[in-house]
Amino acid sequence: MTTTFSSLPRAPLSEATAFLAAYPDVQAIDIVLSDLHGVGRGKIIRRHELESLFTSGRGMPASLFAQDVSGHDVDAAIALMEDGGGDSRCWPVPHTLGFQTATGRGVVLLQMEGADGAPCPLDPRNALQAQIARAQAMGFTPMGALELEFYLVDKERDAEGRPQPARAPMTGRRLISTNCMSVDELDEMAPFFDAVYEGAAALGLPMESLISEYAAGQFELTLRYRDLAQAADDILRSKRLLRSTARRFGMEACFMSKPFSHSSGSGMHLHLSLTDAAGANVFGDTADGALSPLMLNAIGGIRASMAASMLVLAPVLNSWRRFAATVYSPASNTWGAEDRNVALRIPAGSAKSRHFEHRVAGVDANAYLVAAITLGAALDGIEAGTGPGPEGPEGDAAYPPMPGSWLDAIEQFEGSAAMKALLGAPLHRMFAAVKRGEHDALAVTVTDLEWQLYGTTL
């Protein structure tokens, strides 16, 4: 079920005036709109233009939602546009204006409205807001957090022209071993991460724990649990912060789902719960210690559309390489308690703070779309009273088969009434068209590996 909402929540002018007063030397501000891929698109405006952005908005073409990851138009997607190529009005997202310590510029996120003044149905943030409005109409406030896994790679390629892990800023040592959860490795990276946390503080970005992950140069940052829309905003802002800071240390932050063939992939796990009007967690355990029936219904709803949702969770060709070796990368339709091999995990913890973790999405997915379909499917399950099905790794036989490839995921998504309902028909059509266009372009591209294998051999 898709719920519409009539107008965008606009940031007040007071946010702009307070920023200008706090940062009198800032002369430019990045204004950033998420496209369908979670890539920030926008402009850099001058200081004197900031207040008018808050009072009058700023024009940007809705056709950017018909572009592929690299920013090229996808012909079949452009054909779906009905606005003649004109600009649509964009407005600042509340509580996202901040100062970037790495660049010396300000930054604010944008959201787009259509020509009729209603939220633009192609804007992925608006798809999430529609599901949040639906939850609120049911008496719930969605709460969540997304974990961010990523690699730090050297700007320089190795002797064979391949990407390689970065060198630690403190010691100059290249990160070449797995060293999972090594505190010493984090210490070697401290100058970089100190700069990241300083930047996060300036942006009001609630970054918390940091760990060295399960591969050379791979790390994970956690973000504070809070309002679900802000949690999704946090991902877009965190990726930009990590990228801009890494560049100044001779590194690049990599958010590919599977950048290295024989190393672990990078996920973006979503933790989700719902609170009631009094602020109590409705996913909390019952008085007799049983799991919340509402949480189990939510899990059931997500499992019902899991197969169709895989294009959102694994949106590009590289996403599917992450599932080739399934160490902590579940590509199944399963659930369980304290089991990192299932797709939907219920972590241990306080009975009052109980929630579930959706573990399938790669870090290359669009956080707004991941949150929208997860919340929406959870609400479907609650409305229908859907049971969660059998627990454990063998419990997915009763559901539609999971896609086995990117093309399979595209086809299942295109034909899914559930995805159409959760995202809205315009966004559903556009996302499918863009992804099929990307697939078709890659299908006719001859790779370097093909030349190595076949070029002078066959």
Side-chain angles (χ1 to χ4, degrees), residues 356-388:
F356 66 84
E357 174 190 20
H358 196 316
R359 297 176 53 78
V360 182
V363 75
D364 52 359
N366 184 319
Y368 295 119
L369 298 183
V370 170
I373 62 165
T374 302
L375 173 61
L379 297 176
D380 286 349
I382 290 172
E383 286 182 331
T386 307

PDB file of all heavy atoms in Angstrom, residues 356-388:
ATOM      1  N   PHE A 356      14.730  -5.801  14.811  1.00  0.00           N
ATOM      2  CA  PHE A 356      15.345  -6.763  13.907  1.00  0.00           C
ATOM      3  C   PHE A 356      16.303  -6.041  12.971  1.00  0.00           C
ATOM      4  O   PHE A 356      16.222  -4.825  12.768  1.00  0.00           O
ATOM      5  CB  PHE A 356      14.316  -7.579  13.129  1.00  0.00           C
ATOM      6  CG  PHE A 356      13.486  -6.796  12.152  1.00  0.00           C
ATOM      7  CD1 PHE A 356      13.949  -6.513  10.874  1.00  0.00           C
ATOM      8  CD2 PHE A 356      12.215  -6.351  12.505  1.00  0.00           C
ATOM      9  CE1 PHE A 356      13.183  -5.805   9.973  1.00  0.00           C
ATOM     10  CE2 PHE A 356      11.426  -5.636  11.610  1.00  0.00           C
ATOM     11  CZ  PHE A 356      11.930  -5.354  10.343  1.00  0.00           C
ATOM     12  N   GLU A 357      17.212  -6.813  12.397  1.00  0.00           N
ATOM     13  CA  GLU A 357      18.242  -6.300  11.498  1.00  0.00           C
ATOM     14  C   GLU A 357      18.065  -6.953  10.131  1.00  0.00           C
ATOM     15  O   GLU A 357      18.087  -8.174  10.010  1.00  0.00           O
ATOM     16  CB  GLU A 357      19.624  -6.636  12.066  1.00  0.00           C
ATOM     17  CG  GLU A 357      20.792  -6.275  11.163  1.00  0.00           C
ATOM     18  CD  GLU A 357      22.111  -6.846  11.667  1.00  0.00           C
ATOM     19  OE1 GLU A 357      22.088  -7.813  12.474  1.00  0.00           O
ATOM     20  OE2 GLU A 357      23.166  -6.343  11.249  1.00  0.00           O
ATOM     21  N   HIS A 358      17.888  -6.130   9.109  1.00  0.00           N
ATOM     22  CA  HIS A 358      17.800  -6.610   7.725  1.00  0.00           C
ATOM     23  C   HIS A 358      19.226  -6.577   7.168  1.00  0.00           C
ATOM     24  O   HIS A 358      19.808  -5.518   6.990  1.00  0.00           O
ATOM     25  CB  HIS A 358      16.880  -5.693   6.929  1.00  0.00           C
ATOM     26  CG  HIS A 358      16.408  -6.262   5.620  1.00  0.00           C
ATOM     27  ND1 HIS A 358      17.240  -6.918   4.738  1.00  0.00           N
ATOM     28  CD2 HIS A 358      15.176  -6.248   5.023  1.00  0.00           C
ATOM     29  CE1 HIS A 358      16.546  -7.287   3.677  1.00  0.00           C
ATOM     30  NE2 HIS A 358      15.297  -6.909   3.832  1.00  0.00           N
ATOM     31  N   ARG A 359      19.784  -7.767   6.829  1.00  0.00           N
ATOM     32  CA  ARG A 359      21.207  -7.895   6.548  1.00  0.00           C
ATOM     33  C   ARG A 359      21.544  -8.038   5.062  1.00  0.00           C
ATOM     34  O   ARG A 359      22.717  -8.252   4.706  1.00  0.00           O
ATOM     35  CB  ARG A 359      21.767  -9.116   7.292  1.00  0.00           C
ATOM     36  CG  ARG A 359      21.675  -8.995   8.801  1.00  0.00           C
ATOM     37  CD  ARG A 359      22.148 -10.265   9.502  1.00  0.00           C
ATOM     38  NE  ARG A 359      23.473 -10.687   9.076  1.00  0.00           N
ATOM     39  CZ  ARG A 359      24.620 -10.143   9.496  1.00  0.00           C
ATOM     40  NH1 ARG A 359      24.595  -9.131  10.356  1.00  0.00           N
ATOM     41  NH2 ARG A 359      25.775 -10.594   9.055  1.00  0.00           N
ATOM     42  N   VAL A 360      20.580  -7.940   4.175  1.00  0.00           N
ATOM     43  CA  VAL A 360      20.825  -8.294   2.779  1.00  0.00           C
ATOM     44  C   VAL A 360      21.413  -7.156   1.963  1.00  0.00           C
ATOM     45  O   VAL A 360      22.254  -7.371   1.087  1.00  0.00           O
ATOM     46  CB  VAL A 360      19.530  -8.805   2.111  1.00  0.00           C
ATOM     47  CG1 VAL A 360      19.790  -9.216   0.672  1.00  0.00           C
ATOM     48  CG2 VAL A 360      18.960  -9.978   2.898  1.00  0.00           C
ATOM     49  N   ALA A 361      21.014  -5.904   2.208  1.00  0.00           N
ATOM     50  CA  ALA A 361      21.416  -4.794   1.341  1.00  0.00           C
ATOM     51  C   ALA A 361      22.924  -4.603   1.325  1.00  0.00           C
ATOM     52  O   ALA A 361      23.598  -4.684   2.349  1.00  0.00           O
ATOM     53  CB  ALA A 361      20.738  -3.501   1.791  1.00  0.00           C
ATOM     54  N   GLY A 362      23.449  -4.333   0.144  1.00  0.00           N
ATOM     55  CA  GLY A 362      24.843  -3.950   0.011  1.00  0.00           C
ATOM     56  C   GLY A 362      25.012  -2.471   0.281  1.00  0.00           C
ATOM     57  O   GLY A 362      24.050  -1.691   0.244  1.00  0.00           O
ATOM     58  N   VAL A 363      26.249  -2.061   0.522  1.00  0.00           N
ATOM     59  CA  VAL A 363      26.509  -0.651   0.791  1.00  0.00           C
ATOM     60  C   VAL A 363      26.314   0.199  -0.461  1.00  0.00           C
ATOM     61  O   VAL A 363      26.247   1.425  -0.382  1.00  0.00           O
ATOM     62  CB  VAL A 363      27.935  -0.474   1.364  1.00  0.00           C
ATOM     63  CG1 VAL A 363      28.993  -0.627   0.282  1.00  0.00           C
ATOM     64  CG2 VAL A 363      28.081   0.855   2.102  1.00  0.00           C
ATOM     65  N   ASP A 364      26.178  -0.451  -1.617  1.00  0.00           N
ATOM     66  CA  ASP A 364      25.931   0.260  -2.869  1.00  0.00           C
ATOM     67  C   ASP A 364      24.454   0.571  -3.085  1.00  0.00           C
ATOM     68  O   ASP A 364      24.087   1.225  -4.063  1.00  0.00           O
ATOM     69  CB  ASP A 364      26.460  -0.556  -4.052  1.00  0.00           C
ATOM     70  CG  ASP A 364      25.957  -1.993  -4.070  1.00  0.00           C
ATOM     71  OD1 ASP A 364      25.198  -2.384  -3.157  1.00  0.00           O
ATOM     72  OD2 ASP A 364      26.338  -2.742  -4.995  1.00  0.00           O
ATOM     73  N   ALA A 365      23.584   0.126  -2.205  1.00  0.00           N
ATOM     74  CA  ALA A 365      22.152   0.369  -2.355  1.00  0.00           C
ATOM     75  C   ALA A 365      21.790   1.781  -1.906  1.00  0.00           C
ATOM     76  O   ALA A 365      22.521   2.425  -1.141  1.00  0.00           O
ATOM     77  CB  ALA A 365      21.356  -0.651  -1.544  1.00  0.00           C
ATOM     78  N   ASN A 366      20.657   2.264  -2.393  1.00  0.00           N
ATOM     79  CA  ASN A 366      20.139   3.575  -1.994  1.00  0.00           C
ATOM     80  C   ASN A 366      19.443   3.432  -0.643  1.00  0.00           C
ATOM     81  O   ASN A 366      18.454   2.713  -0.513  1.00  0.00           O
ATOM     82  CB  ASN A 366      19.150   4.080  -3.053  1.00  0.00           C
ATOM     83  CG  ASN A 366      18.640   5.482  -2.773  1.00  0.00           C
ATOM     84  OD1 ASN A 366      18.347   5.831  -1.632  1.00  0.00           O
ATOM     85  ND2 ASN A 366      18.518   6.275  -3.822  1.00  0.00           N
ATOM     86  N   ALA A 367      19.969   4.117   0.382  1.00  0.00           N
ATOM     87  CA  ALA A 367      19.447   3.957   1.744  1.00  0.00           C
ATOM     88  C   ALA A 367      17.971   4.337   1.841  1.00  0.00           C
ATOM     89  O   ALA A 367      17.217   3.721   2.609  1.00  0.00           O
ATOM     90  CB  ALA A 367      20.274   4.798   2.717  1.00  0.00           C
ATOM     91  N   TYR A 368      17.536   5.344   1.092  1.00  0.00           N
ATOM     92  CA  TYR A 368      16.124   5.747   1.145  1.00  0.00           C
ATOM     93  C   TYR A 368      15.221   4.634   0.621  1.00  0.00           C
ATOM     94  O   TYR A 368      14.168   4.339   1.207  1.00  0.00           O
ATOM     95  CB  TYR A 368      15.903   7.017   0.315  1.00  0.00           C
ATOM     96  CG  TYR A 368      16.610   8.232   0.851  1.00  0.00           C
ATOM     97  CD1 TYR A 368      17.570   8.884   0.076  1.00  0.00           C
ATOM     98  CD2 TYR A 368      16.335   8.747   2.114  1.00  0.00           C
ATOM     99  CE1 TYR A 368      18.228  10.015   0.547  1.00  0.00           C
ATOM    100  CE2 TYR A 368      16.992   9.862   2.596  1.00  0.00           C
ATOM    101  CZ  TYR A 368      17.935  10.500   1.804  1.00  0.00           C
ATOM    102  OH  TYR A 368      18.595  11.607   2.272  1.00  0.00           O
ATOM    103  N   LEU A 369      15.626   4.006  -0.485  1.00  0.00           N
ATOM    104  CA  LEU A 369      14.803   2.946  -1.063  1.00  0.00           C
ATOM    105  C   LEU A 369      14.824   1.692  -0.197  1.00  0.00           C
ATOM    106  O   LEU A 369      13.803   1.028  -0.032  1.00  0.00           O
ATOM    107  CB  LEU A 369      15.273   2.627  -2.484  1.00  0.00           C
ATOM    108  CG  LEU A 369      15.168   3.767  -3.500  1.00  0.00           C
ATOM    109  CD1 LEU A 369      15.609   3.288  -4.884  1.00  0.00           C
ATOM    110  CD2 LEU A 369      13.748   4.330  -3.558  1.00  0.00           C
ATOM    111  N   VAL A 370      15.996   1.361   0.359  1.00  0.00           N
ATOM    112  CA  VAL A 370      16.082   0.212   1.263  1.00  0.00           C
ATOM    113  C   VAL A 370      15.153   0.415   2.455  1.00  0.00           C
ATOM    114  O   VAL A 370      14.391  -0.479   2.836  1.00  0.00           O
ATOM    115  CB  VAL A 370      17.531  -0.004   1.736  1.00  0.00           C
ATOM    116  CG1 VAL A 370      17.592  -1.043   2.854  1.00  0.00           C
ATOM    117  CG2 VAL A 370      18.410  -0.443   0.571  1.00  0.00           C
ATOM    118  N   ALA A 371      15.202   1.603   3.051  1.00  0.00           N
ATOM    119  CA  ALA A 371      14.354   1.889   4.209  1.00  0.00           C
ATOM    120  C   ALA A 371      12.877   1.902   3.817  1.00  0.00           C
ATOM    121  O   ALA A 371      12.019   1.421   4.566  1.00  0.00           O
ATOM    122  CB  ALA A 371      14.753   3.217   4.841  1.00  0.00           C
ATOM    123  N   ALA A 372      12.560   2.435   2.632  1.00  0.00           N
ATOM    124  CA  ALA A 372      11.161   2.521   2.193  1.00  0.00           C
ATOM    125  C   ALA A 372      10.547   1.139   2.003  1.00  0.00           C
ATOM    126  O   ALA A 372       9.446   0.855   2.483  1.00  0.00           O
ATOM    127  CB  ALA A 372      11.060   3.322   0.896  1.00  0.00           C
ATOM    128  N   ILE A 373      11.254   0.242   1.307  1.00  0.00           N
ATOM    129  CA  ILE A 373      10.647  -1.072   1.040  1.00  0.00           C
ATOM    130  C   ILE A 373      10.651  -1.948   2.300  1.00  0.00           C
ATOM    131  O   ILE A 373       9.751  -2.765   2.484  1.00  0.00           O
ATOM    132  CB  ILE A 373      11.340  -1.807  -0.120  1.00  0.00           C
ATOM    133  CG1 ILE A 373      12.802  -2.105   0.194  1.00  0.00           C
ATOM    134  CG2 ILE A 373      11.188  -1.022  -1.422  1.00  0.00           C
ATOM    135  CD1 ILE A 373      13.417  -3.131  -0.735  1.00  0.00           C
ATOM    136  N   THR A 374      11.647  -1.760   3.169  1.00  0.00           N
ATOM    137  CA  THR A 374      11.673  -2.556   4.401  1.00  0.00           C
ATOM    138  C   THR A 374      10.542  -2.135   5.326  1.00  0.00           C
ATOM    139  O   THR A 374       9.793  -2.976   5.841  1.00  0.00           O
ATOM    140  CB  THR A 374      13.031  -2.410   5.109  1.00  0.00           C
ATOM    141  OG1 THR A 374      14.086  -2.814   4.221  1.00  0.00           O
ATOM    142  CG2 THR A 374      13.086  -3.254   6.363  1.00  0.00           C
ATOM    143  N   LEU A 375      10.410  -0.839   5.544  1.00  0.00           N
ATOM    144  CA  LEU A 375       9.321  -0.345   6.383  1.00  0.00           C
ATOM    145  C   LEU A 375       7.972  -0.692   5.766  1.00  0.00           C
ATOM    146  O   LEU A 375       7.059  -1.180   6.455  1.00  0.00           O
ATOM    147  CB  LEU A 375       9.448   1.162   6.576  1.00  0.00           C
ATOM    148  CG  LEU A 375       8.278   1.845   7.289  1.00  0.00           C
ATOM    149  CD1 LEU A 375       8.092   1.299   8.701  1.00  0.00           C
ATOM    150  CD2 LEU A 375       8.484   3.366   7.312  1.00  0.00           C
ATOM    151  N   GLY A 376       7.826  -0.431   4.466  1.00  0.00           N
ATOM    152  CA  GLY A 376       6.545  -0.686   3.819  1.00  0.00           C
ATOM    153  C   GLY A 376       6.133  -2.139   3.883  1.00  0.00           C
ATOM    154  O   GLY A 376       4.970  -2.463   4.169  1.00  0.00           O
ATOM    155  N   ALA A 377       7.074  -3.053   3.639  1.00  0.00           N
ATOM    156  CA  ALA A 377       6.758  -4.482   3.706  1.00  0.00           C
ATOM    157  C   ALA A 377       6.440  -4.907   5.135  1.00  0.00           C
ATOM    158  O   ALA A 377       5.567  -5.755   5.370  1.00  0.00           O
ATOM    159  CB  ALA A 377       7.918  -5.300   3.149  1.00  0.00           C
ATOM    160  N   ALA A 378       7.147  -4.302   6.116  1.00  0.00           N
ATOM    161  CA  ALA A 378       6.851  -4.591   7.519  1.00  0.00           C
ATOM    162  C   ALA A 378       5.425  -4.164   7.870  1.00  0.00           C
ATOM    163  O   ALA A 378       4.688  -4.896   8.550  1.00  0.00           O
ATOM    164  CB  ALA A 378       7.854  -3.881   8.416  1.00  0.00           C
ATOM    165  N   LEU A 379       5.017  -3.003   7.382  1.00  0.00           N
ATOM    166  CA  LEU A 379       3.652  -2.530   7.636  1.00  0.00           C
ATOM    167  C   LEU A 379       2.623  -3.422   6.939  1.00  0.00           C
ATOM    168  O   LEU A 379       1.541  -3.678   7.487  1.00  0.00           O
ATOM    169  CB  LEU A 379       3.505  -1.080   7.177  1.00  0.00           C
ATOM    170  CG  LEU A 379       4.379  -0.049   7.901  1.00  0.00           C
ATOM    171  CD1 LEU A 379       4.205   1.333   7.282  1.00  0.00           C
ATOM    172  CD2 LEU A 379       4.082  -0.016   9.402  1.00  0.00           C
ATOM    173  N   ASP A 380       2.961  -3.899   5.735  1.00  0.00           N
ATOM    174  CA  ASP A 380       2.077  -4.856   5.050  1.00  0.00           C
ATOM    175  C   ASP A 380       1.837  -6.072   5.940  1.00  0.00           C
ATOM    176  O   ASP A 380       0.701  -6.560   6.072  1.00  0.00           O
ATOM    177  CB  ASP A 380       2.713  -5.318   3.730  1.00  0.00           C
ATOM    178  CG  ASP A 380       2.663  -4.273   2.633  1.00  0.00           C
ATOM    179  OD1 ASP A 380       1.952  -3.263   2.800  1.00  0.00           O
ATOM    180  OD2 ASP A 380       3.345  -4.471   1.612  1.00  0.00           O
ATOM    181  N   GLY A 381       2.935  -6.582   6.526  1.00  0.00           N
ATOM    182  CA  GLY A 381       2.818  -7.768   7.375  1.00  0.00           C
ATOM    183  C   GLY A 381       1.988  -7.515   8.618  1.00  0.00           C
ATOM    184  O   GLY A 381       1.202  -8.376   9.042  1.00  0.00           O
ATOM    185  N   ILE A 382       2.142  -6.329   9.199  1.00  0.00           N
ATOM    186  CA  ILE A 382       1.365  -5.990  10.397  1.00  0.00           C
ATOM    187  C   ILE A 382      -0.115  -5.856  10.043  1.00  0.00           C
ATOM    188  O   ILE A 382      -0.993  -6.370  10.755  1.00  0.00           O
ATOM    189  CB  ILE A 382       1.912  -4.697  11.032  1.00  0.00           C
ATOM    190  CG1 ILE A 382       3.302  -4.958  11.650  1.00  0.00           C
ATOM    191  CG2 ILE A 382       0.953  -4.150  12.081  1.00  0.00           C
ATOM    192  CD1 ILE A 382       4.008  -3.706  12.126  1.00  0.00           C
ATOM    193  N   GLU A 383      -0.411  -5.196   8.926  1.00  0.00           N
ATOM    194  CA  GLU A 383      -1.805  -5.028   8.522  1.00  0.00           C
ATOM    195  C   GLU A 383      -2.478  -6.372   8.217  1.00  0.00           C
ATOM    196  O   GLU A 383      -3.647  -6.582   8.551  1.00  0.00           O
ATOM    197  CB  GLU A 383      -1.877  -4.129   7.281  1.00  0.00           C
ATOM    198  CG  GLU A 383      -1.628  -2.658   7.565  1.00  0.00           C
ATOM    199  CD  GLU A 383      -1.745  -1.792   6.325  1.00  0.00           C
ATOM    200  OE1 GLU A 383      -1.469  -2.286   5.207  1.00  0.00           O
ATOM    201  OE2 GLU A 383      -2.105  -0.605   6.465  1.00  0.00           O
ATOM    202  N   ALA A 384      -1.728  -7.278   7.601  1.00  0.00           N
ATOM    203  CA  ALA A 384      -2.311  -8.561   7.195  1.00  0.00           C
ATOM    204  C   ALA A 384      -2.191  -9.630   8.267  1.00  0.00           C
ATOM    205  O   ALA A 384      -2.768 -10.716   8.120  1.00  0.00           O
ATOM    206  CB  ALA A 384      -1.635  -9.044   5.911  1.00  0.00           C
ATOM    207  N   GLY A 385      -1.440  -9.343   9.351  1.00  0.00           N
ATOM    208  CA  GLY A 385      -1.208 -10.358  10.373  1.00  0.00           C
ATOM    209  C   GLY A 385      -0.388 -11.527   9.853  1.00  0.00           C
ATOM    210  O   GLY A 385      -0.586 -12.676  10.259  1.00  0.00           O
ATOM    211  N   THR A 386       0.550 -11.244   8.971  1.00  0.00           N
ATOM    212  CA  THR A 386       1.349 -12.292   8.339  1.00  0.00           C
ATOM    213  C   THR A 386       2.304 -12.940   9.338  1.00  0.00           C
ATOM    214  O   THR A 386       3.027 -12.251  10.058  1.00  0.00           O
ATOM    215  CB  THR A 386       2.177 -11.697   7.179  1.00  0.00           C
ATOM    216  OG1 THR A 386       1.298 -10.998   6.297  1.00  0.00           O
ATOM    217  CG2 THR A 386       2.906 -12.795   6.413  1.00  0.00           C
ATOM    218  N   GLY A 387       2.328 -14.249   9.366  1.00  0.00           N
ATOM    219  CA  GLY A 387       3.265 -14.963  10.229  1.00  0.00           C
ATOM    220  C   GLY A 387       4.669 -14.936   9.655  1.00  0.00           C
ATOM    221  O   GLY A 387       4.853 -14.772   8.436  1.00  0.00           O
ATOM    222  N   PRO A 388       5.697 -15.122  10.504  1.00  0.00           N
ATOM    223  CA  PRO A 388       7.074 -15.036  10.027  1.00  0.00           C
ATOM    224  C   PRO A 388       7.559 -16.278   9.299  1.00  0.00           C
ATOM    225  O   PRO A 388       8.597 -16.239   8.638  1.00  0.00           O
ATOM    226  CB  PRO A 388       7.874 -14.835  11.317  1.00  0.00           C
ATOM    227  CG  PRO A 388       7.076 -15.561  12.356  1.00  0.00           C
ATOM    228  CD  PRO A 388       5.630 -15.327  11.965  1.00  0.00           C
TER     229      PRO A 388
END
